[in-house]
PDB file of all heavy atoms in Angstrom:
ATOM      1  N   MET A   1     123.898 114.994 120.307  1.00 66.00           N
ATOM      2  CA  MET A   1     123.657 116.312 119.506  1.00 66.00           C
ATOM      3  C   MET A   1     124.135 116.123 118.126  1.00 66.00           C
ATOM      4  O   MET A   1     125.314 115.614 117.873  1.00 66.00           O
ATOM      5  CB  MET A   1     124.456 117.387 120.286  1.00 66.00           C
ATOM      6  CG  MET A   1     124.264 118.741 119.599  1.00 66.00           C
ATOM      7  SD  MET A   1     125.019 120.087 120.544  1.00 66.00           S
ATOM      8  CE  MET A   1     124.601 121.503 119.488  1.00 66.00           C
ATOM      9  N   HIS A  15     104.734 130.027  85.029  1.00 87.00           N
ATOM     10  CA  HIS A  15     104.468 131.323  85.605  1.00 87.00           C
ATOM     11  C   HIS A  15     105.282 132.490  85.034  1.00 87.00           C
ATOM     12  O   HIS A  15     105.047 133.624  85.132  1.00 87.00           O
ATOM     13  CB  HIS A  15     104.464 131.327  87.039  1.00 87.00           C
ATOM     14  CG  HIS A  15     103.406 130.616  87.722  1.00 87.00           C
ATOM     15  ND1 HIS A  15     103.333 130.360  89.171  1.00 87.00           N
ATOM     16  CD2 HIS A  15     102.304 130.009  87.305  1.00 87.00           C
ATOM     17  CE1 HIS A  15     102.274 129.662  89.421  1.00 87.00           C
ATOM     18  NE2 HIS A  15     101.652 129.374  88.261  1.00 87.00           N
ATOM     19  N   TYR A  42     120.964 103.587 125.245  1.00 82.00           N
ATOM     20  CA  TYR A  42     122.120 103.170 126.045  1.00 82.00           C
ATOM     21  C   TYR A  42     123.015 102.085 125.334  1.00 82.00           C
ATOM     22  O   TYR A  42     123.779 101.433 125.971  1.00 82.00           O
ATOM     23  CB  TYR A  42     121.734 102.513 127.400  1.00 82.00           C
ATOM     24  CG  TYR A  42     120.639 103.427 128.150  1.00 82.00           C
ATOM     25  CD1 TYR A  42     119.311 102.860 128.242  1.00 82.00           C
ATOM     26  CD2 TYR A  42     120.944 104.700 128.565  1.00 82.00           C
ATOM     27  CE1 TYR A  42     118.297 103.708 129.039  1.00 82.00           C
ATOM     28  CE2 TYR A  42     119.983 105.454 129.210  1.00 82.00           C
ATOM     29  CZ  TYR A  42     118.724 104.969 129.381  1.00 82.00           C
ATOM     30  OH  TYR A  42     117.754 105.700 130.025  1.00 82.00           O
ATOM     31  N   ASP A  59     112.531  82.745 152.829  1.00 80.00           N
ATOM     32  CA  ASP A  59     111.703  82.925 151.671  1.00 80.00           C
ATOM     33  C   ASP A  59     112.131  84.107 150.767  1.00 80.00           C
ATOM     34  O   ASP A  59     111.362  84.708 150.035  1.00 80.00           O
ATOM     35  CB  ASP A  59     110.228  83.132 152.147  1.00 80.00           C
ATOM     36  CG  ASP A  59     109.655  81.839 152.851  1.00 80.00           C
ATOM     37  OD1 ASP A  59     110.048  80.689 152.370  1.00 80.00           O
ATOM     38  OD2 ASP A  59     108.887  81.996 153.649  1.00 80.00           O
ATOM     39  N   GLY A  86     114.003 117.197  90.833  1.00 96.00           N
ATOM     40  CA  GLY A  86     112.572 116.806  90.349  1.00 96.00           C
ATOM     41  C   GLY A  86     111.948 117.740  89.429  1.00 96.00           C
ATOM     42  O   GLY A  86     112.273 118.945  89.232  1.00 96.00           O
ATOM     43  N   PHE A 103     117.545 110.957  92.501  1.00 96.00           N
ATOM     44  CA  PHE A 103     118.032 111.116  93.817  1.00 96.00           C
ATOM     45  C   PHE A 103     119.396 110.495  93.954  1.00 96.00           C
ATOM     46  O   PHE A 103     119.735 109.575  93.313  1.00 96.00           O
ATOM     47  CB  PHE A 103     117.077 110.614  94.993  1.00 96.00           C
ATOM     48  CG  PHE A 103     116.959 109.125  94.988  1.00 96.00           C
ATOM     49  CD1 PHE A 103     117.780 108.325  95.654  1.00 96.00           C
ATOM     50  CD2 PHE A 103     115.932 108.578  94.237  1.00 96.00           C
ATOM     51  CE1 PHE A 103     117.646 106.942  95.667  1.00 96.00           C
ATOM     52  CE2 PHE A 103     115.748 107.171  94.242  1.00 96.00           C
ATOM     53  CZ  PHE A 103     116.620 106.366  94.950  1.00 96.00           C
ATOM     54  N   TRP A 127     127.643  97.305 118.943  1.00 86.00           N
ATOM     55  CA  TRP A 127     126.899  98.319 118.090  1.00 86.00           C
ATOM     56  C   TRP A 127     127.979  99.297 117.700  1.00 86.00           C
ATOM     57  O   TRP A 127     128.636  99.895 118.528  1.00 86.00           O
ATOM     58  CB  TRP A 127     125.769  98.938 118.803  1.00 86.00           C
ATOM     59  CG  TRP A 127     124.550  98.078 118.917  1.00 86.00           C
ATOM     60  CD1 TRP A 127     124.187  97.390 119.983  1.00 86.00           C
ATOM     61  CD2 TRP A 127     123.553  97.856 117.897  1.00 86.00           C
ATOM     62  NE1 TRP A 127     123.031  96.645 119.687  1.00 86.00           N
ATOM     63  CE2 TRP A 127     122.648  96.979 118.380  1.00 86.00           C
ATOM     64  CE3 TRP A 127     123.356  98.306 116.581  1.00 86.00           C
ATOM     65  CZ2 TRP A 127     121.558  96.528 117.804  1.00 86.00           C
ATOM     66  CZ3 TRP A 127     122.282  97.893 115.897  1.00 86.00           C
ATOM     67  CH2 TRP A 127     121.391  97.002 116.432  1.00 86.00           C
ATOM     68  N   PHE A 138     115.983 106.622  90.194  1.00 94.00           N
ATOM     69  CA  PHE A 138     115.046 107.513  89.340  1.00 94.00           C
ATOM     70  C   PHE A 138     113.652 107.077  89.617  1.00 94.00           C
ATOM     71  O   PHE A 138     113.343 105.810  89.735  1.00 94.00           O
ATOM     72  CB  PHE A 138     115.426 107.473  87.891  1.00 94.00           C
ATOM     73  CG  PHE A 138     114.511 108.138  87.050  1.00 94.00           C
ATOM     74  CD1 PHE A 138     114.690 109.574  86.882  1.00 94.00           C
ATOM     75  CD2 PHE A 138     113.508 107.569  86.321  1.00 94.00           C
ATOM     76  CE1 PHE A 138     113.799 110.232  86.043  1.00 94.00           C
ATOM     77  CE2 PHE A 138     112.695 108.274  85.419  1.00 94.00           C
ATOM     78  CZ  PHE A 138     112.805 109.596  85.279  1.00 94.00           C
ATOM     79  N   ARG A 151      79.130 112.104  84.045  1.00 87.00           N
ATOM     80  CA  ARG A 151      78.610 110.838  84.485  1.00 87.00           C
ATOM     81  C   ARG A 151      79.717 109.758  84.639  1.00 87.00           C
ATOM     82  O   ARG A 151      79.635 108.889  85.559  1.00 87.00           O
ATOM     83  CB  ARG A 151      77.613 110.321  83.501  1.00 87.00           C
ATOM     84  CG  ARG A 151      76.295 111.045  83.442  1.00 87.00           C
ATOM     85  CD  ARG A 151      75.295 110.302  82.551  1.00 87.00           C
ATOM     86  NE  ARG A 151      73.932 110.930  82.626  1.00 87.00           N
ATOM     87  CZ  ARG A 151      72.914 110.503  81.998  1.00 87.00           C
ATOM     88  NH1 ARG A 151      72.988 109.261  81.379  1.00 87.00           N
ATOM     89  NH2 ARG A 151      71.779 111.097  82.193  1.00 87.00           N
ATOM     90  N   THR A 156      94.069 106.918  84.490  1.00 96.00           N
ATOM     91  CA  THR A 156      95.039 105.897  84.541  1.00 96.00           C
ATOM     92  C   THR A 156      96.350 106.460  85.053  1.00 96.00           C
ATOM     93  O   THR A 156      96.733 107.687  84.783  1.00 96.00           O
ATOM     94  CB  THR A 156      95.161 105.233  83.154  1.00 96.00           C
ATOM     95  OG1 THR A 156      96.044 104.157  83.257  1.00 96.00           O
ATOM     96  CG2 THR A 156      95.717 106.277  82.223  1.00 96.00           C
ATOM     97  N   ALA A 163     116.595 101.699  91.444  1.00 91.00           N
ATOM     98  CA  ALA A 163     117.557 102.228  92.467  1.00 91.00           C
ATOM     99  C   ALA A 163     118.800 101.345  92.428  1.00 91.00           C
ATOM    100  O   ALA A 163     118.672 100.097  92.204  1.00 91.00           O
ATOM    101  CB  ALA A 163     117.084 102.445  93.782  1.00 91.00           C
ATOM    102  N   GLY A 185     116.026  80.940 107.915  1.00 58.00           N
ATOM    103  CA  GLY A 185     115.226  81.199 108.990  1.00 58.00           C
ATOM    104  C   GLY A 185     114.021  80.363 109.224  1.00 58.00           C
ATOM    105  O   GLY A 185     113.178  80.647 109.943  1.00 58.00           O
ATOM    106  N   GLN A 199     131.973  94.983 100.888  1.00 84.00           N
ATOM    107  CA  GLN A 199     132.510  96.270 100.552  1.00 84.00           C
ATOM    108  C   GLN A 199     132.668  96.457  99.114  1.00 84.00           C
ATOM    109  O   GLN A 199     133.304  95.550  98.411  1.00 84.00           O
ATOM    110  CB  GLN A 199     133.793  96.578 101.306  1.00 84.00           C
ATOM    111  CG  GLN A 199     134.425  97.977 100.994  1.00 84.00           C
ATOM    112  CD  GLN A 199     135.641  98.193 101.816  1.00 84.00           C
ATOM    113  OE1 GLN A 199     135.561  98.985 102.732  1.00 84.00           O
ATOM    114  NE2 GLN A 199     136.792  97.540 101.379  1.00 84.00           N
ATOM    115  N   ILE A 240     125.802  84.483  93.751  1.00 85.00           N
ATOM    116  CA  ILE A 240     124.906  83.779  92.704  1.00 85.00           C
ATOM    117  C   ILE A 240     123.807  84.664  92.261  1.00 85.00           C
ATOM    118  O   ILE A 240     123.049  84.213  91.331  1.00 85.00           O
ATOM    119  CB  ILE A 240     124.397  82.386  93.246  1.00 85.00           C
ATOM    120  CG1 ILE A 240     123.488  82.574  94.378  1.00 85.00           C
ATOM    121  CG2 ILE A 240     125.503  81.415  93.449  1.00 85.00           C
ATOM    122  CD1 ILE A 240     122.822  81.308  94.875  1.00 85.00           C
ATOM    123  N   GLY A 241     123.585  85.774  92.811  1.00 84.00           N
ATOM    124  CA  GLY A 241     122.524  86.657  92.377  1.00 84.00           C
ATOM    125  C   GLY A 241     122.197  87.825  93.305  1.00 84.00           C
ATOM    126  O   GLY A 241     122.969  87.944  94.328  1.00 84.00           O
ATOM    127  N   LEU A 262      85.384 102.150  91.029  1.00 94.00           N
ATOM    128  CA  LEU A 262      86.282 100.935  90.792  1.00 94.00           C
ATOM    129  C   LEU A 262      87.675 101.227  90.526  1.00 94.00           C
ATOM    130  O   LEU A 262      87.984 102.121  89.794  1.00 94.00           O
ATOM    131  CB  LEU A 262      85.653 100.070  89.569  1.00 94.00           C
ATOM    132  CG  LEU A 262      86.475  98.881  89.306  1.00 94.00           C
ATOM    133  CD1 LEU A 262      86.455  97.835  90.355  1.00 94.00           C
ATOM    134  CD2 LEU A 262      86.021  98.244  87.820  1.00 94.00           C
ATOM    135  N   VAL A 264      91.471  99.487  89.844  1.00 95.00           N
ATOM    136  CA  VAL A 264      92.144  98.241  89.508  1.00 95.00           C
ATOM    137  C   VAL A 264      93.666  98.543  89.477  1.00 95.00           C
ATOM    138  O   VAL A 264      94.154  99.514  88.938  1.00 95.00           O
ATOM    139  CB  VAL A 264      91.786  97.773  88.067  1.00 95.00           C
ATOM    140  CG1 VAL A 264      92.627  96.648  87.709  1.00 95.00           C
ATOM    141  CG2 VAL A 264      90.271  97.587  88.010  1.00 95.00           C
ATOM    142  N   GLY A 268     104.591  95.237  89.379  1.00 91.00           N
ATOM    143  CA  GLY A 268     105.490  94.303  88.926  1.00 91.00           C
ATOM    144  C   GLY A 268     106.895  94.709  89.274  1.00 91.00           C
ATOM    145  O   GLY A 268     107.139  95.861  89.521  1.00 91.00           O
TER     146      GLY A 268
END
Side-chain angles (χ1 to χ4, degrees):
M1 182 177 180
H15 288 175
Y42 312 116
D59 295 327
F103 67 88
W127 287 95
F138 178 77
R151 290 190 175 185
T156 186
Q199 179 175 259
I240 61 172
L262 174 65
V264 180

